[in-house]
Amino acid sequence: MALAPTRQPYRFTVEEYLAFERASEERHEYLDGVIYAMAGSASPQAMAGESEDHGTICVNLVTSLATRLRGSPCRVFTKDLKVRCGSYRPHTREGLYAYPDLVVVCGSSQYHDQAQDVLVNPTLIVEVLSPSTEAFDRGEKFHRYRRWLPSLMDYVLVAQDRLVIDHYQRTTAGSPAPQEQTRWELETLEGRDAHLHLPSINCTVLLADVYERIVFSQAEGDLTP
């Protein structure tokens, strides 16, 4: 007996997603034709809401970076700005449109269209990790960032359950370099006295500032504030 075909979800075009998103009061991300509700959404399909620590770390990062970048050609954007990953063609159903926790752009911002709500040239992207998003942030999302964002020089993953930051930095054998000559080096920072150095934006941030007001369990030992 022949098996009935499995019904596949409808795959939205990028134009349909952007029209839907711009009319929505909630945030949604887009991945290869599928629309996903963001954390904190009232939708039952949404991820779990953001924790208090997640929000505190994001505010600390924005404050630290914005203060240090004042007067420079670099600007900090919060999680209300989308980033496009993937080539764009009319009616395409491929690509990633994501809301990073924090984005820095140096120089003039470049956008997907005249609405100026989809950035295509980030210099730095920061994600604060959550249990529901960590695997995607480290895996498929970073893969697409590396492939489709030639302007991206630093990708920073911030743990919220321990005092640890993973900093991926793009290195090249010349500029501009072919894709196969581009490499990403990982530096893992641990402890309150460690410094996150971001050469692409000429900025250094103390981990103590990133984790200000975050209280860890006693199991974290000397990482406890």
Side-chain angles (χ1 to χ4, degrees):
M1 181 176 65
L3 296 176
T6 302
R7 184 177 181 181
Q8 299 297 316
Y10 177 77
R11 295 179 66 222
F12 294 86
T13 65
V14 168
E15 291 88 349
E16 289 172 328
Y17 160 69
L18 290 176
F20 167 79
E21 184 67 358
R22 288 163 179 168
S24 175
E25 296 181 356
E26 300 171 350
R27 295 181 302 151
H28 305 81
E29 293 188 328
Y30 176 94
L31 178 63
D32 294 341
V34 181
I35 297 174
Y36 297 90
M38 293 288 293
S41 167
S43 167
Q45 289 77 34
M47 297 179 288
E50 293 179 355
S51 69
E52 179 179 292
D53 285 350
H54 186 287
T56 298
I57 292 171
C58 287
V59 171
N60 290 343
L61 282 163
V62 170
T63 302
S64 295
L65 289 175
T67 300
R68 289 166 173 80
L69 293 175
R70 186 173 291 120
S72 80
C74 302
R75 297 178 59 190
V76 182
F77 295 91
T78 58
K79 62 187 76 173
D80 290 328
L81 184 67
K82 294 180 286 296
V83 169
R84 186 188 81 193
C85 295
S87 60
Y88 174 74
R89 303 182 308 277
H91 312 300
T92 184
R93 290 179 169 84
E94 304 295 331
L96 169 67
Y97 289 69
Y99 285 93
D101 286 316
L102 187 148
V103 178
V104 174
V105 178
C106 294
S108 300
S109 301
Q110 299 174 18
Y111 294 99
H112 170 78
D113 59 18
Q114 293 182 349
Q116 295 190 356
D117 59 354
V118 182
L119 188 72
V120 298
N121 67 325
T123 304
L124 162 71
I125 289 177
V126 179
E127 298 284 6
V128 178
L129 300 174
S130 301
S132 61
T133 62
E134 180 170 356
F136 184 61
D137 289 341
R138 292 187 180 277
E140 182 65 22
K141 181 182 282 187
F142 186 31
H143 168 73
R144 297 199 184 212
Y145 284 168
R146 296 195 309 268
R147 180 179 180 185
W148 295 108
L149 295 175
S151 65
L152 185 67
M153 300 304 296
D154 295 281
Y155 183 52
V156 178
L157 298 175
V158 182
Q160 60 172 307
D161 59 345
R162 58 195 185 281
L163 231 158
V164 176
I165 291 179
D166 285 338
H167 173 207
Y168 293 88
Q169 183 178 354
R170 184 193 296 269
T171 61
T172 58
S175 179
Q179 183 69 27
E180 62 271 17
Q181 294 183 9
T182 299
R183 291 177 172 82
W184 288 82
E185 295 181 352
L186 169 63
E187 180 183 18
T188 297
L189 306 166
E190 300 184 50
R192 185 164 299 279
D193 295 331
H195 291 75
L196 172 63
H197 183 47
L198 302 164
S200 66
I201 62 173
N202 193 28
C203 187
T204 298
V205 178
L206 185 66
L207 265 66
D209 293 336
V210 175
Y211 288 97
E212 184 180 4
R213 297 181 182 272
I214 304 299
V215 179
F216 298 99
S217 68
Q218 291 299 320
E220 296 300 328
D222 64 341
L223 301 186
T224 304

